[in-house]
Amino acid sequence: MESVSYIRRHMPLWDGWELGGFLGSGSFGNVWLAVRGERGKREEAAIKEVVVPPAGAGTIESACLQGLDLENARAYFAGALEETIEEAKLQHALSDCRNIVAFRDYQVRELDGEDEFGWVCYIFMEKAKAFSEYLMENGIDVSRLIRLGIDVCRALERCRAAGI
């Protein structure tokens, strides 16, 4: 089920790319399909939408109810936004590893509607295929399973080298 989303309000985010539909959601936000067609070829990517503060969970009102004044609550959530941006930059730094989802770009948009506070960070990345979908389409044999294990280990090595 799609949670609160702002992406339609902010499109287009990247020239030539259109919103192709909702792919899913996780603990940090929604993921959308992005599509573009050039010279008869369709290209797909993914856009992760991270809302700070998260809708319903970390609102400015709830921060104030926990003892923060409005200024400190805003500073707290601005810090959360900076952490989100740092994670996007870290994903960019890991893009040299072919076994990690490729990062393309990110953008931050401030929410400016009536009674709104916060930001949306959009992370533009490679659209990966779910492992279960891959298995349904291709099956797997022992040699491919071993190669996948090696790929996962290489990705983990790269993450460890980056301090993760």
Side-chain angles (χ1 to χ4, degrees):
M1 179 82 195
E2 181 181 330
S3 61
V4 174
S5 178
Y6 299 94
I7 196 166
R8 293 187 195 291
R9 181 192 306 178
H10 294 136
M11 289 302 288
L13 291 164
W14 286 273
D15 287 340
W17 289 89
E18 296 179 12
L19 197 60
F22 181 72
L23 292 175
S25 62
S27 57
F28 292 100
N30 297 317
V31 180
W32 298 87
L33 177 65
V35 295
R36 76 174 172 185
E38 290 184 354
R39 293 174 238 119
K41 184 178 176 187
R42 177 183 162 102
E43 187 178 0
E44 294 184 345
I47 301 173
K48 185 174 183 179
E49 174 188 52
V50 181
V51 180
V52 178
T59 64
I60 202 100
E61 292 83 11
S62 66
C64 290
L65 288 172
Q66 293 179 25
L68 293 176
D69 62 22
L70 190 59
E71 183 179 329
N72 285 327
R74 289 179 187 273
Y76 171 79
F77 288 120
L81 174 65
E82 287 306 313
E83 288 177 15
T84 301
I85 291 169
E86 288 305 312
E87 288 179 20
K89 290 177 179 177
L90 182 57
Q91 185 180 358
H92 175 67
L94 296 171
S95 286
D96 63 342
C97 181
R98 71 175 186 85
N99 301 312
I100 295 175
V101 172
F103 172 90
R104 293 184 180 207
D105 197 5
Y106 78 94
Q107 290 185 30
V108 174
R109 300 287 178 99
E110 189 165 0
L111 298 177
D112 57 5
E114 189 175 318
D115 296 326
E116 286 185 320
F117 165 76
W119 305 268
V120 184
C121 182
Y122 297 104
I123 302 170
F124 188 41
M125 65 183 90
E126 168 188 11
K127 180 185 176 279
K129 184 177 285 197
F131 185 62
S132 58
E133 185 181 343
Y134 174 86
L135 285 177
M136 294 295 290
E137 291 176 4
N138 301 294
I140 195 159
D141 60 19
V142 174
S143 65
R144 180 66 183 140
L145 185 61
I146 291 169
R147 281 182 279 156
L148 284 171
I150 291 168
D151 288 346
V152 169
C153 289
R154 286 187 177 136
L156 290 171
E157 286 176 333
R158 180 64 181 91
C159 289
R160 176 135 173 111
I164 300 172

